[in-house]
Amino acid sequence: NAGVMQNPRHLVRRRGQEARLRCSPMKGHSHVYWYRQLPEEGLKFMVYLQKENIIDESGMPKERFSAEFPKEGPSILRIQQVVRGDSAAYFCASSSVDTQYFGPGTRLTVL
Amino acid sequence: DAKTTQPPSMDCAEGRAANLPCNHSTISGNEYVYWYRQIHSQGPQYIIHGLKNNETNEMASLIITEDRKSSTLILPHATLRDTAVYYCIVRVASQGGSEKLVFGKGMKLTVNP
């Protein structure tokens, strides 16, 4: 059973561009979570989604960030008009009932 | 804010048992204790979780005090690859799986040769 998959693993964007991060949950998992880890800081929750629904987005910045988990395909975290402060590691986790399993992360660098 | 407190760091000799403490004095009756670790900058790795009984799996053992206000994660034979930041997290476990994880600063375990 493959684990949580994220791509790309590394992403470089210039200020003002868009970043799209993809997360494929473990087989059989219908819950997806996104977390962000800024340099030298701990992980912070961003958003929790089930298929086609956003359940909790209390950790998402109000502007420029959005997330979706369509009926088919991976979950997408989208960052519009990136700024240098968006440079971070973005981790996705998935669960079936309780325990969350994490992917390897996407490291976003904004130049 | 995280509901747990951990020492910032700990050292352990390779091959010895590593006992990682965690205080969670305000834990509620329906909250589980979860342990994760993050090796270097990799994704967090699930280790173990428990409610009130002691738990053991292939990675570690979890000892929870009778009053549930603290717990200890035990790595029975630490190796250099166990060097990581360890996070103790309390959260409600539900069938819906809706509870987010709140990470604190964790504890850096360094296993020395």
Side-chain angles (χ1 to χ4, degrees), chain B residues 23 26 47 49 53 55 63 66 75 89 92 94 101 108 113:
Chain B
N23 288 320
T26 61
I47 301 173
H49 75 281
N53 296 322
E55 302 288 344
I63 309 297
E66 193 169 342
L75 307 178
I89 300 168
V92 174
S94 64
L101 294 173
K108 177 66 184 295

Side-chain angles (χ1 to χ4, degrees), chain B:
Chain B
D1 291 340
K3 298 181 180 179
T4 64
T5 55
Q6 302 174 254
S9 63
M10 176 181 289
D11 281 24
C12 176
E14 187 178 19
R16 305 296 292 267
N19 297 302
L20 287 66
C22 180
N23 288 320
H24 30 80
S25 58
T26 61
I27 192 169
S28 300
N30 63 344
E31 287 182 316
Y32 284 65
V33 180
Y34 278 77
W35 283 84
Y36 284 81
R37 71 181 181 184
Q38 188 173 27
I39 298 173
H40 193 45
S41 56
Q42 299 176 21
Q45 179 186 22
Y46 166 76
I47 301 173
I48 199 169
H49 75 281
L51 182 63
K52 53 183 177 181
N53 296 322
N54 297 336
E55 302 288 344
T56 295
N57 62 20
E58 65 279 3
M59 289 184 66
S61 295
L62 175 60
I63 309 297
I64 303 174
T65 58
E66 193 169 342
D67 64 7
R68 304 211 319 124
K69 292 184 177 182
S70 66
S71 60
T72 301
L73 178 74
I74 301 172
L75 307 178
H77 305 286
T79 71
L80 298 179
R81 287 178 291 183
D82 291 322
T83 292
V85 177
Y86 287 75
Y87 297 96
C88 170
I89 300 168
V90 298
R91 69 180 282 258
V92 174
S94 64
Q95 289 297 316
S98 60
E99 191 75 9
K100 64 192 177 191
L101 294 173
V102 179
F103 287 83
K105 295 183 178 180
M107 188 200 80
K108 177 66 184 295
L109 173 69
T110 302
V111 181
N112 299 305

